[in-house]
Amino acid sequence: MIADIAVVIVNWNTREDLRAALASCFAHSDGLAISIIVVDNGSADGSAEMVRDQFPGVTLIANEDNVGYTVACNQGMHAADARYYLMLNSDAELTEGCLAELVRVME
């Protein structure tokens, strides 16, 4: 199934920020079909393990090394199938209605 929006989050050692970002994605999906992809760039703070344990519905790409933001963004986009893509920084959080507004503007 093609998602309405794929949210791609690149992470490097921001476990607690990432946890908040992911929680906001689920809290503010606005009834849309979303897929969430986290690309972890070799974090040493347990970020990948946290995603596996607490967000099993999230697609995790765990790089052994930091491949850089651009390469990681491309990895995440290639792993998704959606009408629209949102690159969300790991220290950002979605707010109520933002994804519905994104789709409205795009359409």
Side-chain angles (χ1 to χ4, degrees), residues 18-67:
L18 176 61
R19 183 190 330 268
L22 289 169
S24 78
C25 290
F26 287 103
H28 301 295
S29 63
D30 300 325
L32 296 165
I34 66 168
S35 62
I36 304 169
I37 299 94
V38 170
V39 183
D40 185 76
N41 267 336
S43 294
D45 68 349
S47 292
E49 293 81 4
M50 181 274 297
V51 173
R52 280 189 200 102
D53 293 343
Q54 296 180 21
F55 299 94
V58 169
T59 299
L60 173 65
I61 299 170
N63 293 323
E64 290 186 24
D65 298 310
N66 189 336
V67 298

Side-chain angles (χ1 to χ4, degrees), residues 45-101:
D45 68 349
S47 292
E49 293 81 4
M50 181 274 297
V51 173
R52 280 189 200 102
D53 293 343
Q54 296 180 21
F55 299 94
V58 169
T59 299
L60 173 65
I61 299 170
N63 293 323
E64 290 186 24
D65 298 310
N66 189 336
V67 298
Y69 184 77
T70 305
V71 171
C73 285
N74 286 331
Q75 287 178 302
M77 289 181 69
H78 284 286
D81 190 10
R83 295 187 305 145
Y84 305 112
Y85 294 80
L86 173 63
M87 309 308 294
L88 184 68
N89 287 346
S90 62
D91 63 349
E93 295 180 36
L94 300 181
T95 57
E96 186 176 336
C98 69
L99 291 180
E101 181 66 6

